[in-house]
């Protein structure tokens, strides 16, 4: 696609699109529903985005019912006005320069809703404003969130909530977050980057993560160091340009823009606020059907030795409900409860076995209960994923006091290269119930669940 536009791909563009557009011919869907492309300024982002969008728009598409549909691709940036400017001034000239596509597409350019439509299949690439209701009642196969650093945590969650329903009936939908590094206000991008890194550590194909920039242990304020890692130096831009930018932006700004060093939040920062957790919209006390898919996990307090057993149950609308089954329980009570759960048909039981629950896990296995342990990488990914799913409105809970206290008390610790996890030491109270809930919710999507039988 890029060659057809008259722009033979740079090595990084080829590698990135090969991964992002990885296609499973057995299932007929794209492998990675979530994409995060973290790259420095002037790397060739416009060309890569354009190729990605029109690749999806030009190909045949079917919905989840197996019916042919017209592909729908959407693009936005910091604001609707900037998205329109990019579309008109950067994207369209690329497409117009692709001689082999002459006469095969048409454009409509009303301000704020610019669109290109492919004549052969009706596939469309459209602009939208980054507002919560901009895509209401629309369908989407690929959504590009360009310059994702510009959104805070609240706006980012609103965007994801608005996009989600547009992809409900599409096969292999994708959301791509594309951005250079931001600062401490870029809370949406920081959250997404942390989750993508944790997923990559765990080998989770739900995310395709590509990062281009100076490694974290090298000096991203040094021009020569940045020049070694910037993927477009010596190809489309000259190294001398970096010296000019270093003087204009200063050390910190240069490190973010061209070294791709993202300012991360402090360890210990609050991930889920009490107000958000107590919002009536995320409290659901209705009974759970016995036939609902479910996963169960346990954890133990390192201070009291007592533990919790928590289920994550999939509701008919796709949300997960967190249900605390047992709390303040002794080791014997937890072994008995997991044994009964296994005998009742709840086959998916697990735990973060690297913490205080490790000894309990040994007893559970000796009791004949198959156990799914979370590796350190999987637990890190589970923490980021739990928070993101909650912020996106995809987790509800039954308002259990022990879990509410854990949310209020919870703090975090850093894990690996930019990841984080719940911290027992930093937290102000016992958070074993939250750790069990986090593990259960991860297991519901990463191991074959049983059914809710409690």
């Amino acid at each position: 696609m890029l060659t057809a536009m008259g722009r033979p791909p740079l090595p990084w563009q080829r590698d990135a699109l090969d991964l992002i557009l990885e296609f499973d011919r057995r299932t007929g869907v794209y492998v990675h529903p979530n994409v995060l492309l973290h790259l420095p300024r002037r790397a060739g982002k416009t060309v890569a985005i354009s190729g990605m969008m029109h690749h999806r728009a030009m190909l045949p598409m079917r919905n989840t019912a197996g019916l042919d549909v017209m592909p729908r691709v959407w693009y936005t940036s910091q604001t609707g006005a900037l998205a329109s400017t990019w579309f008109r001034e950067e994207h369209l000239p690329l497409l117009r320069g692709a001689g082999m596509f002459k006469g095969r597409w048409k454009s409509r350019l009303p301000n704020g809703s610019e669109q290109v439509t492919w004549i052969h299949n009706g596939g469309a690439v459209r602009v939208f404003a980054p507002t919560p209701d901009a895509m209401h009642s629309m369908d989407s196969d690929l959504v590009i969130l360009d310059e994702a650093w510009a959104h805070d945590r609240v706006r980012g969650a609103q965007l994801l909530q608005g996009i989600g329903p547009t992809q409900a009936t599409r096969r292999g939908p994708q959301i791509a977050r594309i951005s250079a590094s931001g600062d401490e206000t870029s809370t949406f991008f920081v959250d997404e980057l942390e989750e993508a890194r944790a997923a990559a550590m765990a080998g989770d194909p739900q995310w395709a993560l590509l990062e281009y920039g100076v490694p974290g242990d090298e000096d991203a304020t040094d021009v020569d160091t940045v020049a070694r890692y910037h993927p477009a130096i010596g190809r489309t831009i000259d190294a001398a340009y970096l010296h000019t930018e270093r003087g204009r932006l200063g050390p910190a700004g240069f490190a973010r823009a061209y070294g791709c060093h993202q300012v991360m939040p402090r360890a210990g920062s609050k991930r889920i606020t009490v107000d958000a957790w107590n919002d009536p919209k995320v409290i659901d006390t209705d009974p759970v059907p016995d036939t609902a898919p479910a996963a169960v996990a346990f954890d133990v307090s390192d201070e009291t030795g007592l533990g919790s057993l928590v289920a994550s149950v999939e509701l008919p609308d796709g949300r997960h409900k967190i249900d605390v089954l047992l709390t303040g329980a002794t080791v014997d009570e937890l072994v008995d409860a997991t044994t009964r759960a296994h005998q009742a048909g709840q086959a998916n039981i697990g735990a973060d076995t690297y913490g205080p629950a490790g000894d309990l896990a040994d007893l559970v296995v000796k009791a004949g209960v198959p156990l799914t342990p979370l590796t350190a990488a999987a637990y890190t990914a589970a923490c980021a994923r739990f928070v993101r799913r909650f912020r996106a409105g995809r987790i509800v809970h039954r308002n259990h006091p022990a879990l509410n206290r854990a949310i209020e008390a919870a703090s975090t610790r850093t894990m690996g290269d930019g990841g984080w996890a719940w911290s027992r030491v930093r937290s102000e109270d016992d958070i074993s119930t939250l750790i069990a809930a986090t593990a259960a919710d991860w297991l519901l999507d990463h191991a074959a669940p049983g059914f809710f039988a409690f």
Side-chain angles (χ1 to χ4, degrees):
M1 184 69 193
L2 301 190
T3 302
M5 289 181 173
R7 302 293 182 94
L10 300 176
W12 83 261
Q13 293 169 337
R14 182 181 60 249
D15 294 343
L17 293 181
D18 283 348
L19 176 62
I20 292 169
L21 299 173
E22 185 178 352
F23 188 79
D24 188 333
R25 296 185 181 278
R26 295 176 298 110
T27 61
V29 301
Y30 290 86
V31 174
H32 310 291
N34 295 291
V35 172
L36 194 145
L37 180 55
H38 186 197
L39 74 166
R41 300 288 182 191
R42 311 309 302 170
K45 179 183 66 174
T46 290
V47 174
I49 289 176
S50 298
M52 189 191 322
M53 293 194 304
H54 288 290
H55 172 90
R56 292 296 306 259
M58 292 175 66
L59 294 181
M61 180 62 60
R62 290 186 175 181
N63 63 15
T64 53
L67 301 176
D68 292 333
V69 294
M70 292 179 288
R72 291 291 178 260
V73 177
W74 297 80
Y75 171 89
T76 196
S77 188
Q78 301 104 306
T79 66
L82 288 172
S84 294
T85 298
W86 177 89
F87 197 88
R88 290 170 177 268
E89 298 182 6
E90 297 190 48
H91 173 65
L92 278 180
L94 276 177
L95 195 56
R96 288 170 179 150
M100 68 177 294
F101 295 137
K102 186 176 182 179
R104 296 179 58 185
W105 58 273
K106 57 185 179 181
S107 62
R108 293 179 61 254
L109 301 175
N111 192 39
S113 55
E114 291 82 355
Q115 175 175 326
V116 164
T117 303
W118 290 92
I119 296 171
H120 71 281
N121 68 342
V125 175
R126 298 181 60 179
V127 165
F128 74 103
T131 58
D133 57 353
M135 295 178 63
H136 183 69
S137 300
M138 302 296 184
D139 291 314
S140 72
D141 299 291
L142 170 66
V143 178
I144 304 287
L145 302 179
D146 194 11
E147 305 292 359
W149 65 267
H151 305 306
D152 64 16
R153 187 168 287 150
V154 173
R155 174 52 59 86
Q158 291 172 338
L159 284 172
L160 295 179
Q161 289 176 22
I163 293 167
T166 72
Q167 299 189 330
T169 63
R170 314 300 274 195
R171 289 176 60 82
Q174 293 178 292
I175 302 174
R177 302 89 165 148
I178 302 175
S179 189
S181 297
D183 56 23
E184 62 276 0
T185 69
S186 305
T187 48
F188 169 64
F189 184 64
V190 166
D191 289 345
E192 299 296 284
L193 180 60
E194 287 180 327
E195 181 172 0
R197 285 174 172 173
M201 289 173 57
D204 183 357
Q206 290 288 309
W207 281 88
L209 170 65
L210 300 108
E211 293 194 79
Y212 300 91
V214 177
D217 58 351
E218 298 193 38
D219 184 5
T221 68
D222 178 70
V223 172
D224 292 336
T225 301
V226 170
R228 289 202 308 272
Y229 290 102
H230 194 293
I233 292 295
R235 293 184 169 90
T236 59
I237 61 175
D238 189 84
Y241 176 75
L242 295 180
H243 286 276
T244 301
E245 288 291 85
R246 172 66 161 73
R248 184 176 68 86
L249 298 174
F254 180 75
R256 289 196 300 271
Y258 291 94
C260 220
H261 272 209
Q262 172 61 50
V263 178
M264 304 301 283
R266 296 179 296 106
S269 61
K270 184 66 68 176
R271 301 290 171 156
I272 298 176
T273 67
V274 173
D275 287 345
W277 186 256
N278 291 334
D279 190 323
K281 294 194 296 291
V282 300
I283 296 175
D284 181 355
T285 58
D286 292 340
V288 177
D290 290 344
T291 56
V296 172
F298 55 81
D299 195 65
V300 175
S301 168
D302 56 352
E303 292 186 1
T304 67
L306 302 178
S308 300
L309 186 68
V310 182
S312 179
V313 185
E314 184 175 338
L315 301 178
D317 60 8
R319 294 179 302 162
H320 290 185
K321 179 187 285 191
I322 305 301
D323 192 2
V324 178
L325 308 175
L326 199 62
T327 188
T330 65
V331 168
D332 289 342
E333 290 171 334
L334 286 168
V335 171
D336 180 62
T338 53
T339 301
R340 286 187 284 108
H342 170 59
Q343 293 172 345
Q346 175 48 268
N348 188 6
I349 300 171
D352 167 28
T353 56
Y354 288 82
D359 290 341
L360 173 59
D362 289 340
L363 296 175
V364 168
V365 172
K366 289 178 181 178
V369 178
L371 187 71
T372 303
L374 272 71
T375 64
Y379 175 62
T380 302
C383 291
R385 181 176 174 278
F386 185 89
V387 171
R388 177 178 172 274
R389 286 179 60 89
F390 174 77
R391 290 175 180 160
R394 298 172 64 190
I395 286 180
V396 296
H397 62 94
R398 298 195 72 177
N399 202 28
H400 193 283
L403 184 53
N404 296 347
R405 288 194 300 272
I407 288 289
E408 183 174 3
S411 190
T412 63
R413 70 185 192 275
T414 56
M415 297 281 287
D417 186 13
W420 65 272
W422 303 122
S423 172
R424 301 173 194 274
V425 175
R426 290 177 180 270
S427 297
E428 298 172 354
D429 200 347
D430 172 33
I431 61 167
S432 58
T433 308
L434 174 58
I435 292 173
T438 300
D441 198 63
W442 170 264
L443 291 167
L444 183 56
D445 279 344
H446 291 82
F451 56 88
F452 194 74
F454 299 95

